[in-house]
Amino acid sequence: MSTAADHPRHRLNDLIHAPVRFSIMAALAGAESMDFKDLRDAIQVSDSVLSKQLAVLEKAGYVRIRKSFAGKMPRTAASVTPAGRTAWEEHLQTLRDIAGG
C-alpha cells in the first residue's frame, strides 16, 4: 500500500517550481548563456523581479551570473550550472511522473 509521501509531488523542487524561477530555468536550459536583457524579455518580467529571482537561483548553485563590460556598458549574463541542470532535469521528470507520462 502506498502512502501520501510516495506521491511524486513530494519530489518537486520548490526552488525551481515557483513560476518565475521555473521560467528562468526553462529559458536558460535551452541556451549556453543568456544576456540579462534577453532573458528578461523572454520571460516577460521586470529587471527587479529577474534580478531577485536570479539571485535566489545563484545562491542555490543552480545559475551562474557573469558580469562584464562591452566597452563602457556593463553586461550581465546567466547560465545554468551542472547542479542546476541536474535539478532542472529531475524537476521535469517529477512533473512527467505526476502527469502520468
Side-chain angles (χ1 to χ4, degrees):
M1 181 173 184
S2 66
T3 65
D6 293 335
H7 193 277
R9 78 174 173 278
H10 298 286
R11 295 191 317 265
L12 286 171
N13 184 317
D14 290 336
L15 239 145
I16 293 175
H17 199 64
V20 172
R21 291 190 296 264
F22 185 91
S23 298
I24 291 168
M25 293 298 290
L28 292 178
E32 185 175 320
S33 176
M34 285 186 81
D35 182 74
F36 184 92
K37 291 178 182 180
D38 293 336
L39 181 57
R40 177 200 64 203
D41 294 347
I43 67 169
Q44 301 176 351
V45 293
S46 68
D47 287 359
S48 62
V49 168
L50 180 56
S51 182
K52 180 181 177 184
Q53 299 307 321
L54 279 172
V56 170
L57 292 168
E58 182 181 36
K59 184 177 179 183
Y62 292 169
V63 169
R64 179 174 176 242
I65 306 297
R66 287 181 317 286
K67 296 185 180 276
S68 63
F69 284 88
K72 293 184 178 185
M73 297 294 295
R75 297 192 73 184
T76 301
S79 59
V80 175
T81 64
R85 187 158 308 277
T86 297
W88 173 248
E89 291 169 1
E90 288 172 353
H91 189 76
L92 289 181
Q93 184 56 54
T94 300
L95 290 171
R96 286 185 204 99
D97 293 345
I98 291 169

